Amino acid sequence: MNHARPPVVDLTQVTLAYPSPDGDVPVLNGVDLTIDTGEIVAITGPSGSGKSSLIAIIGGLEPISEGTAHVLGLDLALQNERARTLLRRRDIGIVFQAYHLVPSMTALQNAALPLILAGEDGAEAKATEMLTRVGLGHRLGHRPSALSGGEQQRVAVARAFAARPRLVLADEPTGNLDQQTGAVVIETMFDLARSSGTALILVTHDPALAARCDRTLKIETGRVVP
Amino acid sequence: MDGHGTPAAGMKVLITLLKAELAHGILGLRLFMACVAIAAGMLGLVWLMGTGLSEAMRDNATRILGGDVAVTVVNAPLDRGTLEALDRIGRTSNVVELRSTAHAGSSPGSSRLTVELKAVDDAYPLYGSVALESGAAISDALAVRDGLAGAVVEADVLTRLNLVIGDVIRIGDTQFQIRDQMTREPDRLSAGTFLVGPRVLVSLKALEATGLAGRGSLVEYRTRVRFPEDTAIEQAIRAVADEEPDRGWEIQSPEQAAERVREVMDRTTTFLGVAGLAAFAVGLTGAWAAVSMWIGRRRRTIAQYRLSGATTSTVVVLHAVLVAVAGVLALVLGVGLAAAGAVILLGNLTERLHLLWSPADMAPTVMLVTLTLALGLAGASVAALSGVANLSPLRAMRDGETGTRLQPRTAWGAGLCVIAAAGLAILGLPNPSMAALAAAGLALVAGILVLLGDGIARVGRHLPARRFLALTIKQGLMSPGPVMLRTLALGIGITGITGVVATQQSLQTAFETQIPEKAPDLVLLDVQPSQVDLIRATVSETPALDGLQATPFMRTRILAVNGVPAEQALVNPEKDWVIEGDRSFSWTAEPTGAELVAGEWWPANYDGPPLVSAEEDVMQAFDLKPGDTLRYSVLGRVFTSTVANIRKEYHRTMRPEFLVVASPQPFRDAPHGWIVSLQGLDAESLSTFVADLTRSAPNVTVVDVRRLVRDAAEVVEGAILGTLLIAAVLLLAGALSLSATIVADVDARRREAVALSVVGATRREIALARLAETAMTGLVAALAGGAAGMVASFWITTAALRVDWTPGLSAVLLPIGLGVITSIAAGLSGGLGALPRGRGQLMRLLAG
C-alpha cells in the first residue's frame, strides 16, 4: 500500500441517525475507516447494518450526524451540498444496484454525462471508448428500457469510470444480476479500477467476491467489527 | 378477468383489489377531484343560470306581455273605433303607464317620491295574477271605498315615504288609500328596464280623475288582447296591425316582450356560456393531466399488479373504478354546489324580475349537466387510463418510459365521449350557435397546440447535445407525447383564462360607461311650455341652482326611409333597436351642441317644412345621408322630413339626448311636454326648489338623478363583481389544471433528477435545465394560447356581446405572466424540488 499520499477516505467516529417520530434511529455508530488510493475494499454485513448508508456518506449524498469524514482531502462536514456534488462530479463514480440511469437518454449519453457535466471535450468519444471496454460498443444508441439488467449495469459502470474518478463506490452492483452476468460486471470493474489506479469500495453479500478484494470490512449494527 | 377464469372469480379478485386500494384512500386523485369539482361547479352554475333565465322568460312570455298581443301608443290613446275592433278580435285589457310624483298624505308640504304609475282596467291581468301581500284580489284592492280610490304599491313606496297600509297618498289632484303591498306584477318586464321609481297601481277610472293623462304628458297606452283558444295567432296579429297602419304604434307578440331585458340577459348568459365552456375545457384538460400524473406515479404499482398475474383488463378496470369513484364524488360536490348557487341566484333574480320560477324546474337541467360532465370525464379518463393498458411492466420496472401514445380505438372512444359531452354542453348552454363556434375555436386551438407541441419535439430532436444543459433540454423535449400534453394543457388553460379575462375587462368597461360622467342633479318631466319660463326665472334668481337645460320632449316611431318601410330599409341589424318601439324626439331652432358628422343645421329662423337631424345610430341603421327622407309618427300624426344633418351623441351625460330632432314647425305649437335638467350646489337648495315646484306645478314629475346614478353604480358594481368572480373561478380552474401538468412533470422527472445528481449535477444545473426546457413549452403555449384567447375575446366581445373590445393591459400581460410563472414553477419544482432534502430520503430513492 502506498502511504505517501493522503488517504482517499478517512472517517473518524462517524455516526448517522435518521429522525423518526419516536426519536432518532441510529444507522451508523462511531465508524472509523481509512481507504488509500487504488485500494479495493469490500464492505459486508447483514441487511440493514448500514452498508449503503456508509456509501452514501462517502459519496456526499448524506451528511453525517457526528464525527469527521474526509474524502479526497475534503472535510465533508464543512462542504455544502453544491461542493459535495462537485466533488462527486470530479472524483467519485457511483454504481447502484438499481442502476439509476436517465431513462430518456441513450447508453452513450448516460455514460458521457459526467464528462459533459465537467465540460470535457470529446465526451462522447471517451464515453464510446468506455462503453466499448465494458462490452457495449454495439449498444450505444439504445435507451435503458431496451437494455438487459446486465447491460444497464455495465452502462452504469462505464458512467462511473468515464471521468477517470479517484474513487468509485459500488452498492451491491450485482444484486439484480445472475451469477454469470454479475461476474462479467465485477471483472469489468476490477479491470477498470486496477488499470486506472482508482480506489473501489464495493458493498456485497458475496463472500467469494469479498475475498477477491484487497481488504474486507464487516459492519454490524452500524459499527465496523473486526 | 382473473381468478380461475370465470367472470365471478374475476369479479371477486377485482373487489378484493378495490377494497385494498380504497382502504388506502383516493387522496392521490385529489388534484383530479379539484379539477372536476371546479369544472362541474362552474359549468353547472352557468348552465343552470342560463337555462333557468331563458326558460323563465319563455314560460312567462304571455304574462310579461300581458296578452297574446299588445299594442302600445304614446301621448294619445287609440281611437274608440280601433279599440272596438280589437275587442272583436279577443278579450282586451287597457293599461296606462306614466311617471308621476306621489305625496305622503294630503298636505302640500309632505314628503314626495317619483313613482311609476300604472292604471289598469277590470280585465287586468289577462294572464297571470298580481300577488298582494295580504292575498287579496287586485280588483278589491283598487276599488273605491268611503270615497277613496285604492292603490297597491311596492314596498319601496312605504319605506321611502314612511307610510303603512291604510295611509293616504296624493297623486296629481287625487288621493288614494294604500290598500296593499304588491309582491309580484306579472307584466312588470314589459315596462322596460329604465324605471325611475317604485310602482303604484291604481284603477283606470281613478287615473282619469287625476288629470295627469292630459294631452302633452308622456303617457303610454297599452291594449293587450287575449285571443280565443282556437285563434290563428299570426293572422289575428296581422288583423290588429291593419287597423291603423299609419298610427305608428308598436305591436308586440310574447316572443318580443321585454326585448331590452332579453338583450341584457342574452349578453349576460352568452358571457356565462362562454365562461362555462372555457371552464369545461380547462377543467377536462386538468382532469386528464391529473389522471395521467396519477397513473404515471403508479407505474411501478401497476407493473407489480401485472407481474403478479393481473390481466390488463383487471388493472384497467381497477383504475377506472378508482377514477370513477373520485370523479363521482367530485361531480356530486361540484354539481351540488352549482345547484345550490343557482337556486339562490335564480330565486333572487326571478323575484326581482317578477317572474314565476320554481327550483323543481332545474331538475332536468341538473341531470343533463351531470350527464354531460360524466361523458366529458369519461373521455378524459379513458385517454389517461390508456396509459394503464399500454404500460409495459418490464419497461416500468426497468425505469423505461411507458407508452402514453393513445391507441386509435381508445382515441376514438375518448374523442367520441368528449365530442358528445361538448355537443350536449353546446345545445344546453345559452346561445348554442355562439357556444358551437366557441367550441370549434377551442378545438382548433387544441389542434394547433398539439401541432406546436409536436414541432417543439422535432426541434428538440435536432438540438446539438454537447453540453449538459443542451443535452438535458434535448432529452426533455424530444418525446412528442409528454411535450404535446404539456403544451396542450398549458395552452388551453391560458387560452381560456386570457379569453375570459379580456372579455370581462371589456364588459367591465362597457358597464362602467353606463354610469354617467356628468349628470344633472334633477330632471323634470312633463313640464308644460307655460311652466318652463317660471322654472327658468326661479333658477336664475337662485344662486345655488345652475346648469338649466330645457328641451321639448316627445316620442317618435320611424316608419320608413326614402319611402321604404323601416324594417326593409334596415341595413345594420345590430341597430334594429332604433325601429323597436318609440324613441326620443325633440325640436329645436338652434343647434343642440352635439358634434355634427355630416350636413348642416337649419337656420335659426327656418320655418319651412320640417327638417330633421338624425343621431349617428339612425345613420348606421339605414346608411342614412343628408338629403334622404324619414317618415315618422309623432303625437299620433305621421310626418315626412328631409334629413338635414347627422349628429353624434355620447350617451354618458344623462342629459336628454334625442334620436331625432326636428326643425320647430309644426311641433312648436303642438301640445307637448318639456324636459328640464338642472344642477344644485347643495342638497338643501335643491330640496327647497323641488318643494316650491311641487306646489306651483303639481303635474311636473321630479326625477332625482343623484339617486338613480347611485342605484346604477350599485348595479354596475354588482355586475362587475359577478364577472370578476367568474374570471377568478376560471383562474382557479386554470391554476389547478396547470399544477396538474407541473406535478405530473415533477413526478416523471424525479428519478431522472436523482440519476443526474448521482453523477454530479447540482440542483441548480438540474433546475436550470428543467427551466430552459419548460420555458420552451411555456413560451409557445403562452404565445399561442394568449393570442387565441385574445382573438376569442375580440370575437365574443364584438360579435356576441356587442360592446367595444377593451382587453386592458392585464389581459395582454396575463398569458405571458402565466407562461412565465408556470415555466418557473415547473422548472424549479422539477429541478430544485425533484431532489428530496430530508435526511435519508435520497437514500430511499437510491435504494430503488
Side-chain angles (χ1 to χ4, degrees), chain B residues 161 195 220:
Chain B
L161 290 177
L195 300 181
E220 290 194 346

Side-chain angles (χ1 to χ4, degrees), chain A residues 67-82:
Chain A
T68 57
H70 286 89
V71 175
L72 298 163
L74 287 177
D75 184 347
L76 292 184
L78 301 179
Q79 312 302 314
N80 60 19
E81 190 190 290
R82 178 177 166 78

Side-chain angles (χ1 to χ4, degrees), chain A residues 16-19 52-53 56 61-65 81-82 85-86 88-89 94 96 98 100-105 109 113-114 116-117 121 143 145 147-148 152 159, chain B residues 395 398-401 465-468 471-472 474-475 478 751-752 754-765 837-843 845-848:
Chain A
L16 175 66
Y18 291 143
S52 295
S53 297
L61 294 165
E62 198 70 49
I64 60 172
S65 301
E81 190 190 290
R82 178 177 166 78
T85 305
L86 293 178
R88 209 155 54 233
R89 177 190 298 184
I94 308 179
F96 288 99
H100 289 298
L101 301 177
V102 179
S104 60
M105 292 185 182
Q109 287 167 332
L113 257 179
I116 292 171
L117 276 164
D121 292 333
R143 290 204 165 72
S145 55
L147 299 172
S148 70
Q152 287 191 62
R159 183 179 67 181
Chain B
R395 292 180 78 176
R398 283 179 183 178
D399 284 347
E401 289 197 353
R466 298 190 199 291
R467 291 282 172 265
F468 174 73
L471 175 65
T472 42
K474 178 187 173 93
Q475 296 314 311
M478 67 189 301
R751 299 185 74 78
E752 182 181 298
V754 169
L756 292 173
S757 172
V758 164
V759 295
T762 61
R763 279 181 194 272
R764 221 170 110 186
E765 284 169 324
R837 288 181 187 271
R839 198 180 272 275
Q841 289 186 21
L842 184 60
M843 278 301 296
L845 280 172
L846 288 168

Side-chain angles (χ1 to χ4, degrees), chain A residues 44 174 204-211:
Chain A
T44 62
T174 59
T204 180
H205 286 292
D206 182 357
L209 175 56

Side-chain angles (χ1 to χ4, degrees), chain B residues 6 34 94-95 137 198 228 253 320 491 613 618 643 661 663 677 700 727 766 768 801:
Chain B
T6 63
N94 292 298
V95 170
S253 63
S613 164
V618 186
V643 176
V661 175
S663 59
S677 63
V700 172
I766 298 169
L768 193 65
L801 304 178

Side-chain angles (χ1 to χ4, degrees), chain B residues 452-709:
Chain B
L452 285 172
D454 189 51
I456 294 172
R458 281 173 197 277
V459 170
R461 276 199 289 278
H462 292 98
L463 277 177
R466 298 190 199 291
R467 291 282 172 265
F468 174 73
L469 190 63
L471 175 65
T472 42
I473 294 170
K474 178 187 173 93
Q475 296 314 311
L477 293 179
M478 67 189 301
S479 303
V483 176
M484 284 195 287
L485 173 68
R486 270 207 312 271
T487 316
L488 177 62
L490 189 59
I492 284 286
I494 290 175
T495 304
I497 291 168
T498 308
V500 170
V501 169
T503 308
Q504 188 277 334
Q505 291 274 312
S506 304
L507 262 186
Q508 181 167 342
T509 310
F511 283 143
E512 280 166 353
T513 54
Q514 289 176 6
I515 301 174
E517 283 170 336
K518 277 190 208 168
D521 293 326
L522 294 178
V523 168
L524 314 177
L525 304 175
D526 294 333
V527 182
Q528 296 305 304
S530 58
Q531 294 167 326
V532 173
D533 289 338
L534 267 171
I535 293 170
R536 274 191 211 280
T538 311
V539 171
S540 65
E541 287 163 12
T542 316
L545 298 177
D546 194 12
L548 182 134
Q549 283 194 352
T551 325
F553 186 41
M554 287 168 267
R555 305 285 283 274
T556 185
R557 192 170 169 77
I558 297 173
L559 302 173
V561 177
N562 293 327
V564 180
E567 289 79 5
Q568 295 166 30
L570 195 73
V571 294
N572 185 351
E574 286 183 18
K575 300 285 179 184
D576 58 357
W577 58 268
V578 304
I579 55 170
E580 282 169 4
D582 293 288
R583 297 289 153 190
S584 56
F585 177 88
S586 187
W587 61 265
T588 181
E590 308 280 344
T592 63
E595 180 191 334
L596 276 195
V597 177
E600 299 290 337
W601 281 103
W602 43 85
N605 58 357
Y606 177 80
D607 63 353
L611 297 172
V612 291
S613 164
E615 209 275 329
E616 194 183 28
D617 288 312
V618 186
M619 175 191 82
Q620 290 163 352
F622 303 110
D623 195 16
L624 201 70
K625 302 176 294 296
D628 289 344
T629 60
L630 275 188
R631 189 150 65 94
Y632 54 98
S633 72
V634 175
L635 300 170
R637 285 180 58 198
V638 175
F639 300 88
T640 302
S641 300
T642 303
V643 176
N645 65 53
I646 308 289
R647 259 171 316 117
K648 186 177 180 67
E649 302 280 6
Y650 288 95
H651 307 304
R652 289 196 64 185
T653 61
M654 253 202 180
R655 291 179 192 285
E657 291 169 351
F658 302 94
L659 203 67
V660 178
V661 175
S663 59
Q665 292 302 342
F667 308 104
R668 193 197 296 261
D669 301 324
H672 62 271
W674 284 57
I675 185 165
V676 176
S677 63
L678 57 100
Q679 285 171 315
L681 296 184
D682 54 69
E684 197 185 332
S685 54
L686 283 170
S687 277
T688 311
F689 169 78
V690 172
D692 291 345
L693 183 74
T694 310
R695 275 192 296 275
S696 61
N699 62 300
V700 172
T701 299
V702 181
V703 178
D704 186 347
V705 180
R706 294 165 299 178
R707 186 187 177 86
L708 286 182
V709 169

